[in-house]
Amino acid sequence: MTNFYDINKNEDLLKKQLRYVVANSPFYKKRFTDCKIDIESIQSYEEFRKIPITTKEDLQHYNQEFIAVRKDEIIDYVTTSGTLGNPVSFALNDADLDRLAENERLSFEMVGVRKSSVVQLTTTLDRRFMAGMAYFLGLRKLGAGIVRTGSGLPGLQWESIQRFQPDFLVAVPSFLLKMIDFAIENGIDYKNSSIKTAVCIGEPLRNPDFSLNSLGQKIKNLWDIELFSTYASTEMGTAFTECEYHKGNHSLPDLIFSEVLDENQNPVEPGKIGELVVTPLQTRTMPLVRFATGDMVKFYGQSCDCDRKSMRISTPVGRKKQMIKLKGTTLYPQQIINLLTAFQSLKIFVIEASLNENQTDEILIRIPNDFAETSKLQEHLQAGLKVKVSLEKTSVEKLAMLKFPRESRKPKLFHDFR
């Protein structure tokens, strides 16, 4: 197989990171000793692949053993969002915070933010949330103006837009729809506001062929602003961001070494889908080596019209642990979400996965009690998924509680009871 992962391009940074990990991380000291891994002998990607994968379960079970600095060096404590299980504690020292700022500075520059720009952050800085803090640090390092409105409160968002005239919004895509609804209901001329670009976080915006998915297209049809897709996680402390050509999310090769692997942990060819495995570079407090994110992404290689020489991937097409086998068909929740979002008259829904009495997967989609187009929706879903799924009418109040649970930072459209 052609080797698409060339460690020589950032060999010095990768070797430096491995040496740091062996010297300072209790978890990796033991793992490398047990597996007889000699980092000095690693001269190729094939040799690098001999290092075992680190899993989310490792991070959960041995959380404190990943800490590679003294406790008095730790400045900030965060937790993951817990999308695939219990949230995991994470910690950062001063060097990690500087690195996080540089990551976001580079990412914001990629989407066109400049020192003269004003950016409105509709993300929280509290609740041990890394992303909101990262955006603030990156924009501060870039020197751009920052409007910290926080999450929710569409009225405050529009009042701030009118008052401070920001050029950019950082927002979850589904929240942009709420802002549009509020503007329409309150007579706000949102189409002629100062906002020209939205940097979208937390939810997929595009299909693997680079086209806008149903959520992205719905936003674009209502509000003709430029939409940029981003992808990141707490564990990797690094963002993958679209450039101006919108042909995949670019990695930052000085900050992360990335692989996309198949079910046998072999690298996939460009155009194929696999699990993203990352080794963040220049991290100090909780360094990770070959960490399996659980996110299934499409791998595009490095060729892009922008001439950046960095790996490009899609935003996640699904979670590895959320894969559904339904009547012989393999599905990911995001496929179902895209189809449901595209059905214009359906305003709220929740998807549930469970095991039936034969221990095989079943899907139930909860829709509002007063939804009048059940038959059309069933046909729409069956045409898109090639299998029939069950629909169940539920009160809007219960749907809202399921979609926005108190403990979650993001809308929860998929509940897995398997």
Side-chain angles (χ1 to χ4, degrees), residues 112-119 142-145 165 167-168:
V113 177
R114 300 292 179 261
K115 185 176 179 5
S116 58
S117 305
V118 178
V119 183
L142 183 56
Q165 298 291 296
D167 318 275
F168 291 79

Side-chain angles (χ1 to χ4, degrees), residues 2 38 67 75 91 103-104 111 135 149 171 181 185 187 201 217 282 299 305 310 316 368 385 387 391 412 417:
T2 304
D38 177 13
I67 295 179
I75 291 176
N103 164 74
E104 293 301 337
V111 303
Y135 302 139
T149 51
D181 287 343
E185 291 170 4
I201 63 171
Q217 194 60 57
Q282 305 184 54
F299 175 45
D305 293 342
S310 58
L385 300 175
V387 291
L391 304 178
K412 192 170 183 180
F417 301 113

Side-chain angles (χ1 to χ4, degrees), residues 121-125 129 131-133 135 149-151 170-172 201:
L121 298 178
T122 73
T123 53
T124 182
L125 272 75
F129 190 40
M133 177 183 63
Y135 302 139
T149 51
S151 58
V170 176
V172 175
I201 63 171

Side-chain angles (χ1 to χ4, degrees), residues 7 22 30 33 40 80 111 139 146 163 166 170 179 191 194 201 211 247 265 347 365 379:
I7 70 170
V22 170
K30 183 176 186 306
T33 299
E40 297 304 328
T80 65
V111 303
L139 289 168
I146 309 168
R163 182 186 294 265
V170 176
M179 287 183 62
K191 293 184 179 180
S194 62
I201 63 171
S211 64
K247 291 186 176 180
Q265 297 185 3
K347 301 302 182 185
I365 299 172
E379 292 173 7

